[in-house]
PDB file of all heavy atoms in Angstrom:
ATOM      1  N   THR A 158     144.697 -35.584  94.190  1.00 94.00           N
ATOM      2  CA  THR A 158     143.410 -35.799  93.536  1.00 94.00           C
ATOM      3  C   THR A 158     143.171 -37.289  93.362  1.00 94.00           C
ATOM      4  O   THR A 158     144.068 -38.009  92.924  1.00 94.00           O
ATOM      5  CB  THR A 158     143.386 -35.140  92.136  1.00 94.00           C
ATOM      6  OG1 THR A 158     143.680 -33.746  92.263  1.00 94.00           O
ATOM      7  CG2 THR A 158     142.027 -35.321  91.456  1.00 94.00           C
ATOM      8  N   VAL A 159     141.968 -37.747  93.686  1.00 94.00           N
ATOM      9  CA  VAL A 159     141.549 -39.109  93.340  1.00 94.00           C
ATOM     10  C   VAL A 159     140.502 -38.984  92.238  1.00 94.00           C
ATOM     11  O   VAL A 159     139.549 -38.207  92.358  1.00 94.00           O
ATOM     12  CB  VAL A 159     140.955 -39.860  94.543  1.00 94.00           C
ATOM     13  CG1 VAL A 159     140.531 -41.270  94.118  1.00 94.00           C
ATOM     14  CG2 VAL A 159     141.963 -39.948  95.679  1.00 94.00           C
ATOM     15  N   HIS A 160     140.713 -39.738  91.154  1.00 92.00           N
ATOM     16  CA  HIS A 160     139.766 -39.658  90.042  1.00 92.00           C
ATOM     17  C   HIS A 160     139.469 -41.038  89.481  1.00 92.00           C
ATOM     18  O   HIS A 160     140.272 -41.964  89.613  1.00 92.00           O
ATOM     19  CB  HIS A 160     140.304 -38.742  88.938  1.00 92.00           C
ATOM     20  CG  HIS A 160     141.595 -39.192  88.331  1.00 92.00           C
ATOM     21  ND1 HIS A 160     141.669 -39.871  87.135  1.00 92.00           N
ATOM     22  CD2 HIS A 160     142.873 -39.076  88.754  1.00 92.00           C
ATOM     23  CE1 HIS A 160     142.925 -40.147  86.851  1.00 92.00           C
ATOM     24  NE2 HIS A 160     143.682 -39.681  87.810  1.00 92.00           N
ATOM     25  N   LEU A 161     138.302 -41.155  88.883  1.00 91.00           N
ATOM     26  CA  LEU A 161     137.960 -42.353  88.129  1.00 91.00           C
ATOM     27  C   LEU A 161     138.767 -42.352  86.844  1.00 91.00           C
ATOM     28  O   LEU A 161     139.011 -41.298  86.253  1.00 91.00           O
ATOM     29  CB  LEU A 161     136.473 -42.370  87.786  1.00 91.00           C
ATOM     30  CG  LEU A 161     135.501 -42.702  88.924  1.00 91.00           C
ATOM     31  CD1 LEU A 161     134.069 -42.404  88.498  1.00 91.00           C
ATOM     32  CD2 LEU A 161     135.621 -44.160  89.335  1.00 91.00           C
ATOM     33  N   VAL A 162     139.188 -43.514  86.407  1.00 87.00           N
ATOM     34  CA  VAL A 162     139.989 -43.633  85.196  1.00 87.00           C
ATOM     35  C   VAL A 162     139.084 -44.047  84.048  1.00 87.00           C
ATOM     36  O   VAL A 162     138.251 -44.940  84.186  1.00 87.00           O
ATOM     37  CB  VAL A 162     141.096 -44.695  85.396  1.00 87.00           C
ATOM     38  CG1 VAL A 162     141.898 -44.877  84.113  1.00 87.00           C
ATOM     39  CG2 VAL A 162     142.013 -44.284  86.547  1.00 87.00           C
ATOM     40  N   ASN A 163     139.248 -43.359  82.913  1.00 72.00           N
ATOM     41  CA  ASN A 163     138.575 -43.802  81.687  1.00 72.00           C
ATOM     42  C   ASN A 163     139.580 -43.801  80.547  1.00 72.00           C
ATOM     43  O   ASN A 163     140.775 -43.662  80.773  1.00 72.00           O
ATOM     44  CB  ASN A 163     137.339 -42.944  81.379  1.00 72.00           C
ATOM     45  CG  ASN A 163     137.702 -41.476  81.172  1.00 72.00           C
ATOM     46  OD1 ASN A 163     138.817 -41.144  80.786  1.00 72.00           O
ATOM     47  ND2 ASN A 163     136.753 -40.597  81.427  1.00 72.00           N
ATOM     48  N   GLU A 164     139.096 -43.933  79.307  1.00 57.00           N
ATOM     49  CA  GLU A 164     140.022 -44.074  78.184  1.00 57.00           C
ATOM     50  C   GLU A 164     140.759 -42.790  77.843  1.00 57.00           C
ATOM     51  O   GLU A 164     141.732 -42.800  77.122  1.00 57.00           O
ATOM     52  CB  GLU A 164     139.292 -44.544  76.913  1.00 57.00           C
ATOM     53  CG  GLU A 164     138.433 -45.761  77.063  1.00 57.00           C
ATOM     54  CD  GLU A 164     136.984 -45.385  77.294  1.00 57.00           C
ATOM     55  OE1 GLU A 164     136.633 -45.047  78.424  1.00 57.00           O
ATOM     56  OE2 GLU A 164     136.212 -45.429  76.327  1.00 57.00           O
ATOM     57  N   ILE A 165     140.254 -41.654  78.289  1.00 51.00           N
ATOM     58  CA  ILE A 165     140.887 -40.377  77.967  1.00 51.00           C
ATOM     59  C   ILE A 165     142.109 -40.194  78.862  1.00 51.00           C
ATOM     60  O   ILE A 165     141.997 -40.316  80.080  1.00 51.00           O
ATOM     61  CB  ILE A 165     139.894 -39.216  78.202  1.00 51.00           C
ATOM     62  CG1 ILE A 165     138.622 -39.436  77.386  1.00 51.00           C
ATOM     63  CG2 ILE A 165     140.524 -37.883  77.848  1.00 51.00           C
ATOM     64  CD1 ILE A 165     137.482 -38.534  77.780  1.00 51.00           C
ATOM     65  N   PRO A 166     143.273 -39.908  78.286  1.00 49.00           N
ATOM     66  CA  PRO A 166     144.461 -39.712  79.136  1.00 49.00           C
ATOM     67  C   PRO A 166     144.212 -38.624  80.186  1.00 49.00           C
ATOM     68  O   PRO A 166     143.700 -37.556  79.870  1.00 49.00           O
ATOM     69  CB  PRO A 166     145.534 -39.278  78.130  1.00 49.00           C
ATOM     70  CG  PRO A 166     145.082 -39.839  76.825  1.00 49.00           C
ATOM     71  CD  PRO A 166     143.582 -39.800  76.866  1.00 49.00           C
ATOM     72  N   ASP A 167     144.580 -38.940  81.423  1.00 50.00           N
ATOM     73  CA  ASP A 167     144.353 -38.028  82.557  1.00 50.00           C
ATOM     74  C   ASP A 167     142.882 -37.669  82.715  1.00 50.00           C
ATOM     75  O   ASP A 167     142.545 -36.666  83.331  1.00 50.00           O
ATOM     76  CB  ASP A 167     145.193 -36.743  82.410  1.00 50.00           C
ATOM     77  CG  ASP A 167     146.663 -37.054  82.401  1.00 50.00           C
ATOM     78  OD1 ASP A 167     147.098 -37.837  83.249  1.00 50.00           O
ATOM     79  OD2 ASP A 167     147.373 -36.531  81.530  1.00 50.00           O
ATOM     80  N   GLY A 168     142.029 -38.465  82.106  1.00 54.00           N
ATOM     81  CA  GLY A 168     140.613 -38.156  82.169  1.00 54.00           C
ATOM     82  C   GLY A 168     139.937 -38.884  83.301  1.00 54.00           C
ATOM     83  O   GLY A 168     140.559 -39.509  84.137  1.00 54.00           O
ATOM     84  N   GLY A 169     138.643 -38.827  83.278  1.00 64.00           N
ATOM     85  CA  GLY A 169     137.871 -39.465  84.330  1.00 64.00           C
ATOM     86  C   GLY A 169     137.368 -38.440  85.318  1.00 64.00           C
ATOM     87  O   GLY A 169     137.957 -37.386  85.514  1.00 64.00           O
TER      88      GLY A 169
END
Side-chain angles (χ1 to χ4, degrees):
T158 303
V159 180
H160 61 99
L161 285 169
V162 177
N163 61 26
E164 308 96 280
I165 304 167
D167 298 314

